Amino acid sequence: MRILISSNGHHTPTGYGVQTAALAKMLRDLGHEVAIYAWYGLSGSPVTIGGFPTYPRVSHHYGGDAHIPANHWRADIVITIQDLWVLPDDFADKLERPWIAWFPVDGDPIPPDVAKMAKTAAFPLAMSRHGRESAKAAGIRNAGYIPHAVDTAVFKPVSDERRQKIRQYIGIDDETFLAVMVAANKGFPSRKSFPEVFQAFALFHERHPDSLLYVHAEYNSPIGMNLHQLRDLVGLPETAVRFPPIEQYKMGFPHEYVAQIYQAADVLLSPSMGEGFGIPIVEAQACGCPVITQNVTSMPEITINGIAVNPIQRVLTGLGHWQYLADPYAIADAMFKIQARSEHEKIQKREKGIAFANNFSTDALAEYWRVFLNSVEAAIKEPVHV
């Protein structure tokens, strides 16, 4: 089939950009012809990037005009990888071809505007089991499920010797407990729970001054929070929190760099208010790093080597669904528990997490897509019975 993927460009370092790149390669390897509508990440004229015809944004900021590149590409189907509530109501009608809506549900229940758009897609496809069940509860009985992919050739465990060398290279000694965050600093309140994580780390650091928090994020985002100010507000010394060089962060880091963060770390802190999937959670476990998440939305289903803490309370969002405020004391307590693990428990949990994360390898996900697209192709070739 000729397939158009509409999402962040596959050359961009965003979560959706990474998934676009992985999916495009999988579909091409399965024998499909693939083009990409990069409504985020490209303007001007169509180009070829990585062997894929790539269309720039036409006018709608979130790809609501995907029918234009779809017509030019003569696409048999269109796959969107994005939130659905940002799309115009007539999106499916204008496409005039089957639409696979691969979408997140990051709260409870599925927001009304998300459910409304999912019902117009020929093939609604959730990114998590939680998302699929939420969609079905809203009457979207044909909702499917395919999770995100992780490149386990990059995100993988390393030997103790290699881990020690990584830590030495970044200036972390053997005795330092290294906690990391890998999250986009955008929105207020912070869906990624920056204030709660910083408070939790301050509690941990008070008892373990030989600890460090590395935050792989823009420290003063114009669409997020001032994380330097937040660090000072919770009483953490400047030496206890590190950030990446801002210029390099804006240009993007190679995947190998992010993998080394996980490989060097003692724990990933990712207790989001809600997740549609949670790529860093799986990436970290693939590298052998424990995780601390929240016991809500998609996170319990992907927390194996780690602890999913219970939230303090629900928070109503502008989309009309609940997300969940993280408990700094519960996060800190989970950090103490992970720090106190015996060597036997560390190894046991580590191996379970690695084995679980391998279920999300690109090879494993390619099989999901092969089976799913075979059923799609069969369905759209069936005659319509009136």
Side-chain angles (χ1 to χ4, degrees), residues 108-276:
D108 297 304
I110 184 173
D113 286 348
V114 175
K116 177 184 69 176
M117 290 305 299
K119 288 176 181 177
T120 68
F123 303 96
L125 194 61
M127 298 172 177
S128 68
R129 290 187 173 90
H130 164 264
R132 179 182 60 190
E133 296 312 308
S134 297
K136 288 188 174 182
I140 308 168
R141 300 300 180 190
N142 64 330
Y145 156 67
I146 294 182
H148 281 173
V150 169
D151 187 353
T152 52
V154 173
F155 296 95
K156 60 185 179 181
V158 293
S159 66
D160 290 342
E161 182 181 6
R162 173 62 180 159
R163 181 175 186 268
Q164 187 178 38
K165 286 183 178 179
I166 294 171
R167 287 172 67 96
Q168 288 174 348
Y169 179 77
I170 59 179
I172 308 294
D173 60 40
D174 291 343
E175 303 305 315
T176 299
F177 185 88
L178 177 60
V180 302
M181 281 191 80
V182 176
N185 179 15
K186 63 180 183 179
F188 191 88
S190 167
R191 184 173 65 84
K192 297 297 185 178
S193 302
F194 282 104
E196 293 74 29
V197 166
F198 275 54
Q199 290 177 76
F201 186 74
L203 293 169
F204 183 85
H205 187 73
E206 187 175 2
R207 284 173 51 181
H208 293 281
D210 55 344
S211 59
L212 176 71
L213 175 62
Y214 172 76
V215 182
H216 192 67
E218 187 175 352
Y219 62 78
N220 191 15
S221 168
I223 57 172
M225 309 184 71
N226 184 327
L227 299 180
H228 281 176
Q229 187 180 71
L230 178 61
R231 175 199 63 204
D232 297 341
L233 191 62
V234 302
L236 281 165
E238 187 174 331
T239 54
V241 185
R242 290 188 191 174
F243 302 91
I246 190 63
E247 296 85 0
Q248 191 170 353
Y249 183 83
K250 286 180 177 291
M251 291 298 100
F253 285 87
H255 297 323
E256 289 78 7
Y257 176 87
V258 181
Q260 287 183 348
I261 293 172
Y262 300 133
Q263 290 159 354
D266 294 293
V267 68
L268 171 74
L269 304 177
S270 192
S272 302
M273 294 179 70
E275 284 290 352

Side-chain angles (χ1 to χ4, degrees), residues 160 163 174-175 177 266 288 290 305 337-351:
D160 290 342
R163 181 175 186 268
D174 291 343
E175 303 305 315
F177 185 88
D266 294 293
N305 177 14
K337 288 178 179 176
I338 286 176
Q339 191 269 343
R341 282 178 174 177
S342 67
E343 283 303 312
H344 174 74
E345 186 179 9
K346 285 180 184 178
I347 294 170
Q348 186 180 51
K349 297 283 189 181
R350 182 174 182 266
E351 294 306 314

Side-chain angles (χ1 to χ4, degrees), residues 49-66:
I49 302 176
F52 296 102
T54 306
Y55 292 91
R57 187 176 73 207
V58 179
S59 60
H60 193 279
H61 280 281
Y62 300 104
D65 47 15

Side-chain angles (χ1 to χ4, degrees), residues 281-289 291 302-305 353-354 356-357:
I281 297 169
V282 177
E283 289 176 341
Q285 292 175 98
C287 294
C289 177
V291 299
I302 58 172
T303 301
I304 304 301
N305 177 14
I354 293 167
F356 173 77

